[in-house]
Amino acid sequence: MEHHAASLAFIAFLLLQRGAELLVARRNTRRLLAQGAVEHGAGHYPLIVAMHAAWLAAICIWGWSNPVHPGWLAAFVVLQGLRIWVLASLGPRWTTRIIVLDAPLVARGPYRWMSHPNYAVVIAEIIVAPMVLGLWGVAALFTILNACVLTIRIRAESRALAGR
């Protein structure tokens, strides 16, 4: 019963974090659009939302009573540090959509070394978060689904940024 509390706390953190990020993303999107930014690739956005919602649902359904694996939890904590670094580097330009502003691209933080550090963190989280609860099947399935979605997403983002 003790591991139920730990797994439920982990799941609650995931749900609260993702919910808070959606609120920040919505606020940032509105501000960027008000500044004249343009959204690209909106057609595939519902697919991204559905995939992430299904990933969270799978973790909730199959992970709520599983023990928390400390090594995977440590990896998840490291990823959260990287996530914060990415979000802080983008600041008000971070959003869950492809929003292109007529301004220089962000070139600080991890963006000095990588084109898509946010996607790298998400790829790792899609694997690591389910593994915290021993859900290797969820990690495997959603890694494949995420690869398909990110292929569409990164192509759309690259086209949008090339056309700026």
Side-chain angles (χ1 to χ4, degrees), residues 21-112:
E21 286 180 357
L22 286 175
L23 293 174
V24 170
R26 185 176 297 141
R27 183 193 68 212
N28 288 348
T29 296
R30 278 195 296 256
R31 286 182 184 167
L32 288 166
L33 293 174
Q35 294 172 18
V38 177
E39 181 172 2
H40 296 267
H44 74 268
Y45 187 71
L47 183 61
I48 291 173
V49 171
M51 195 274 305
H52 280 270
W55 174 74
L56 286 168
I59 291 171
C60 292
I61 292 166
W62 290 297
W64 70 271
S65 65
N66 291 1
V68 170
H69 297 270
W72 286 108
L73 182 59
F76 182 80
V77 169
V78 169
L79 286 173
Q80 298 322 290
L82 294 172
R83 171 181 279 286
I84 291 167
W85 189 27
V86 167
L87 271 61
S89 297
L90 287 173
R93 290 177 62 182
W94 179 81
T95 181
T96 56
R97 297 177 176 268
I98 301 171
I99 307 293
V100 178
L101 185 65
D102 187 20
L105 294 176
V106 171
R108 62 182 171 275
Y111 290 87
R112 288 182 296 216

Side-chain angles (χ1 to χ4, degrees), residues 103-124:
L105 294 176
V106 171
R108 62 182 171 275
Y111 290 87
R112 288 182 296 216
W113 303 288
M114 294 181 73
S115 298
H116 301 288
N118 190 55
Y119 299 146
V121 170
V122 171
I123 289 166

